[in-house]
Amino acid sequence: MRTYPTDSPEAAARLLAMALVADGNYSLTEIRALDRIQASRQLGLDPAAFKGVVDTFCEDLLMAAQGEWTGSAGMDEGTRQQLLDEVRDPALRARIVALCQAVVQADGHEADGEAALLDALTRAWRQRPATTAGALS
């Protein structure tokens, strides 16, 4: 996987992309939800840059799985944790969780991969310090 600077808009957008493809695909309903809540703007990206991050993430997933598409649910735990660690700011983490929940709930169905991703995301950020000064509560 490519790396992005810690707490960058791209690192945050990639986590949203991870939620978007957690069930193996994304629907027009989910894309419309992202537009409606202005997800790219909330993360500090224009829509074209956000789409670029999603496309790049999907390419990286395909390369990591030797061309077999599994969505982000098939990602190994170490890689997932590495991507989660690129976001450390507590306020940004909270925004990402809210955006991921909005995407997952947009189509009225929470697939197993989506639920697992949300659980992993909240579990990782609850257990790990957000900054050297203290833990995320």
Side-chain angles (χ1 to χ4, degrees):
M1 289 281 159
R2 296 160 218 224
T3 60
Y4 292 116
T6 301
D7 293 332
S8 68
E10 294 82 7
R14 180 169 48 195
L15 296 178
L16 187 52
M18 192 185 307
L20 189 63
V21 297
D23 62 353
N25 57 35
Y26 54 89
S27 69
L28 186 55
T29 303
E30 292 168 330
I31 297 301
R32 286 182 179 148
L34 289 173
D35 288 343
R36 186 175 52 255
I37 61 177
Q38 299 182 355
S40 60
R41 185 175 307 189
Q42 288 193 51
L43 297 177
L45 293 171
D46 64 52
F50 178 77
K51 182 187 180 307
V53 171
V54 173
D55 291 347
T56 300
F57 177 65
C58 290
E59 289 170 9
D60 287 349
L61 282 176
L62 279 170
M63 288 176 47
Q66 290 85 35
E68 180 182 346
W69 180 252
T70 61
S72 62
M75 179 185 294
D76 70 272
E77 188 60 35
T79 301
R80 177 180 291 151
Q81 190 59 56
Q82 176 186 353
L83 302 184
L84 292 173
D85 287 345
E86 286 186 350
V87 176
R88 296 189 181 162
D89 177 78
L92 183 55
R93 284 179 170 184
R95 183 176 302 131
I96 292 167
V97 169
L99 291 170
C100 288
Q101 288 172 334
V103 167
V104 165
Q105 296 168 356
D107 62 3
H109 172 73
E110 188 173 293
D112 291 343
E114 294 170 329
L117 174 71
L118 288 175
D119 287 345
L121 190 144
T122 55
R123 187 176 55 252
W125 286 346
R126 228 187 352 244
Q127 293 174 351
R128 293 175 174 262
T131 66
T132 56
L136 179 63
S137 54

